[in-house]
Amino acid sequence: MSSPSTSVSRRVLDVSRRRTVGCVAVVLLLAAALPFNAAAAAENALRRSSTGEPQTLDPQLWVYGQDGNLAQDMFQGLTTLDAAAQTVPGQAASWNVSDDGLVYRFTLRRGLRWSDGTPLTSADFLYSLRRMFDPATASPSAALLYVIRNAREVNSGKLPVTALGISAPDAATVVIVLGHPAPYLLELLVHRAFPVPRHVIERHGREWTRAGRLVSNGAFTLGEWRPGQHVKLVRNPRFHEAGQVKLDAVYHIPIEDPKAAVTRYRAGELHVVVTLPSEMIDVLRRDLGRQLHLVQQIGLEYLAFNTARAPLDDPRVRRALSMAIDRELLGAKVLRAGEPPAFCIVPPGVAGYPLRGCADFGDWTQPQRVAEAKRLLAAAGIGATKPVTLRMRYNNNDTQRRLSLALAAMWQPLGIRTELLTGDMKAHQQALAQGDFDVARAAWYAEDRDAGSFLRLLDSRVPGLNLSRYRDPDFDRQLDIADASADAVRRAAAMRDAETRAMAAQPIAPLYYYVSRRLISPRVRGWVDNPRGVHLNRYLSLAPPRVP
């Protein structure tokens, strides 16, 4: 049995222990907050939202924007972009073009190295481009570079990779030979011709993109990838212009709920938010003023109709669904950021390509469109007394949910019942790639200002881009005619014929031309709004936080 003095001592000791535990808890809480505050500030790290979890870190396999943003941070091609998204020299210091426009000779910068210190030479570009067109790689965007001589034949397995119109006559020279003149080649090379490290790929195979293995040549390299939390990129000290990169690190943080992104921005946890909820646009404009950036871009938001499934294998049904969409109403009541209604595949702003290949009902009144939609569906055996159900997929955020509900309401009086299916961005994109949908929300933004990059969305030979599974040999033939044409006017005419043909069949329903919605912290320096919507983090910096 203990004495009274011993009991008092134990009580004092218990209180002391509780205080110690409490102090430890406070320290732990403060430490947990450091990534958003002191630690990030000391690290000089930019924190930006991403539209979803990455699908791949391989720069030759990316399709979607969240992956492309990472690729552009970590890798650099022969050409690149400046802060205003204008094409400038990248790994190549200079180039010249033959008089016939078919031969491009690039001279590499001196002293180029991979992030692990391995020298980077023309042989790396030769290997990389051959890998990209190798059918075994299955690069979904290889078709965007079919202008290179024999590229299509190599990519389809008809010719060996050595037949590709690429050579490396010496360690500092890369020569690209085209099948026809393509003055837009330099823009294409910015996003779709990144080099990859042969010495790492041959050692690790498909696992080469893991943290600790990935080797890059851009302004940043991979620090860590924590799924569901962030991809951290760190400054690459061996980048040829490393001295001009002001950020120590960039955190790409997957946040699919735009409202959550806004909340974290207001709390100071994010410096850049790349997508915003429509219903908050007016409030953000009032509260944050110049921090809200709404910029018209060369981009298309659309619905992909799965043409491999009934009833969407019938062009009458697809046309009817597209006609019944009141795009003006969507812009005014749902989107609310000034998005223009779209009736064409190719958006405004593409040089040398006037908007003439649009849907024939684009100039009709909405009552006229609805009346014709009812007639087409009746002819296809669909109506209020004979309804059909379509499975429509969209990625899970408030704006897309409201948009999908509005579309379902517009179709319901026509005998179209809509089953709405949603998931995170990664699951949504995987379902689209597998064809697991009837109707699906999709988007395409310009990497180069050429109409061909948008029309490839319906090229039957490019399954990675052609989500609708559209197959029309005459459409493909018009693209081939355009590709083979050295005359810009004739080339544009062939592409316009292809677009007109596709818009008559409506394998996709253009909805609106993209307006980027972003919040940019006053601390961010070097941000330049541009119609391509590309902002390389190597040009950005952070001003010191204001002291209260």
Side-chain angles (χ1 to χ4, degrees), residues 45-94:
L46 180 80
R47 303 182 67 88
R48 57 180 297 159
S49 71
S50 173
T51 55
E53 194 71 24
Q55 299 276 3
T56 180
L57 297 184
D58 189 323
Q60 295 188 337
L61 298 181
W62 74 274
V63 173
Y64 300 105
Q66 72 270 27
D67 301 344
N69 289 332
L70 292 165
Q72 292 172 89
D73 271 352
M74 292 191 291
F75 295 90
Q76 186 181 79
L78 294 167
T79 57
T80 188
L81 300 178
D82 64 13
Q86 298 296 316
T87 302
V88 295
Q91 297 281 283
S94 62

Side-chain angles (χ1 to χ4, degrees), residues 101-174:
L102 294 178
V103 181
Y104 284 70
R105 180 178 291 269
F106 296 87
T107 301
L108 298 182
R109 298 177 186 272
R110 293 182 179 179
L112 294 175
R113 291 187 177 274
W114 292 101
S115 57
D116 64 355
T118 303
L120 189 156
T121 71
S122 61
D124 291 291
F125 281 94
L126 180 63
Y127 164 79
S128 299
L129 286 167
R130 285 178 173 177
R131 176 183 184 262
M132 181 177 182
F133 288 100
D134 188 332
T137 303
S139 172
S141 57
L144 297 175
L145 282 168
Y146 277 176
V147 296
I148 298 174
R149 180 173 292 176
N150 296 332
R152 186 191 299 275
E153 290 76 12
V154 170
N155 196 221
S156 61
K158 296 177 181 178
L159 289 176
V161 293
T162 53
L164 188 67
I166 308 289
S167 62
D170 59 59
T173 306
V174 177

